[in-house]
Amino acid sequence: MEKTQLTQLLQDVAQGAVSVEDARLQLQMEPFSDLGFAKPDLHRGLRQGAGEVIYGQGKTAQQIAGIIQALMESGQDCILATRVDSAKAQEVCQILGSEFQIELGSEPEFQTSDMAKCPVRYYPEARCLIVGQKPKPGGNGTVVVACAGTSDLYCAEEAALTAECMGSRVTRLYDVGVAGMHRLLAHTQEIMTASAIVAVAGMEGALASVIGGMASCPVIAVPTSVGYGASFGGVSALLSMLNSCASGVSVVNIDNGFGGGYQAALIDHAGQ
């Protein structure tokens, strides 16, 4: 149940359109849906302010589609599935009865789902599938997602799309790594006025420390597995970020763009 649905239910009770007993029954029946292979959390949006997100890796297309359908039936307006490859995304949409186009970019073209009557978009760079409309931005400011190099875009886009699905306004600063500091300094205003920043970097992971020394807001560092042999699949960047001397830097797991974007959106909505 979404917050808008709960508000409407309470208003209906106050106006006498729904009895207290019927309202209590609706709430009791809502917490989760048992699909056998999964138990979608239908109250997460009400409890945490953001609905359940589907981690697609390791799930079949049938399982992903089943969870999407359960969340849609519960009234979740925007459903995000991460780590979904193109072939699996196409299969999910076939199960949902949807026709869609896969295109690169932050706003791919799409057609309307015949069954769900809502847009279905697939973002191949981020490996994310979004069902429904992204909410209008309603945070305290802007979330900046900065990544060191083009090779880090897969992780940065996952972070950016996650924050957008949670209702944050996102500014993308891409290919602004420390190998060319002038590229980052050209965006000083965006960095200094952000409500939260996600700094995505592989190699030695220095970008987070540099941004942390410039920004007045929290910086969430996301190490990526990009780099040569001694980067150890992102461990070097992770350790560099954990040892940052910039005071406002916190760190999520390697390649966890979702975690970085989610945390930044929570910060952006603090106090609301």
Side-chain angles (χ1 to χ4, degrees):
M1 177 175 287
E2 297 289 291
K3 286 185 177 179
T4 52
Q5 292 178 301
L6 176 62
T7 300
Q8 184 62 53
L9 178 61
L10 293 175
Q11 289 175 345
D12 289 343
V13 172
Q15 294 169 3
V18 176
S19 69
V20 173
E21 291 75 16
D22 287 342
R24 182 170 61 245
L25 180 60
Q26 287 188 47
L27 293 172
Q28 288 173 339
M29 294 174 62
E30 285 286 338
F32 67 89
S33 177
D34 192 346
L35 305 180
F37 59 85
K39 293 181 174 62
D41 186 351
L42 308 181
H43 267 185
R44 190 170 302 181
L46 177 62
R47 189 175 68 251
Q48 295 187 315
E52 180 167 3
V53 175
I54 303 167
Y55 181 73
Q57 188 170 328
K59 292 183 176 69
T60 66
Q62 290 81 4
Q63 290 169 340
I64 295 172
I67 297 170
I68 288 173
Q69 288 172 320
L71 294 175
M72 287 174 55
E73 289 170 2
S74 74
Q76 187 166 320
D77 296 325
C78 181
I79 302 167
L80 170 65
T82 66
R83 303 300 171 93
V84 181
D85 61 49
S86 297
K88 191 179 291 185
Q90 289 178 324
E91 190 176 350
V92 168
C93 287
Q94 288 172 357
I95 295 169
L96 295 176
S98 170
E99 298 291 336
F100 78 124
Q101 296 177 347
I102 300 176
E103 293 192 6
L104 295 174
S106 59
E107 288 297 334
E109 293 182 2
F110 61 90
Q111 294 179 343
T112 301
S113 164
D114 295 331
M115 185 207 74
K117 302 300 181 186
C118 66
V120 178
R121 310 177 189 184
Y122 180 64
Y123 299 78
E125 201 158 44
R127 296 177 294 169
C128 287
L129 184 72
I130 297 177
V131 180
Q133 295 284 5
K134 296 177 190 174
K136 292 182 179 179
N140 296 310
T142 300
V143 170
V144 168
V145 177
C147 78
T150 306
S151 296
D152 302 306
L153 282 180
Y154 68 95
C155 191
E157 270 301 297
E158 184 180 79
L161 290 171
T162 298
E164 287 177 341
C165 284
M166 292 182 64
S168 286
R169 182 176 292 101
V170 175
T171 295
R172 293 164 168 82
L173 305 179
Y174 289 168
D175 197 22
V176 291
V178 298
M181 287 290 295
H182 53 291
R183 300 174 301 182
L184 180 64
L185 295 177
H187 298 284
T188 300
Q189 181 175 351
E190 292 99 318
I191 291 170
M192 290 187 171
T193 57
S195 59
I197 299 175
V198 182
V200 182
M203 299 292 186
E204 83 287 14
L207 179 65
S209 289
V210 174
I211 290 179
M214 299 171 62
S216 60
C217 65
V219 176
I220 300 98
V222 184
T224 72
S225 52
V226 172
Y228 295 103
S231 68
F232 298 110
V235 174
S236 291
L238 171 65
L239 294 176
S240 293
M241 291 171 171
L242 286 171
N243 285 284
S244 173
C245 64
S247 303
V249 176
S250 58
V251 189
V252 297
N253 208 347
I254 298 169
D255 287 335
N256 188 11
F258 165 75
Y262 193 100
Q263 183 74 1
L266 288 177
I267 294 168
D268 181 42
H269 287 82
Q272 293 189 352

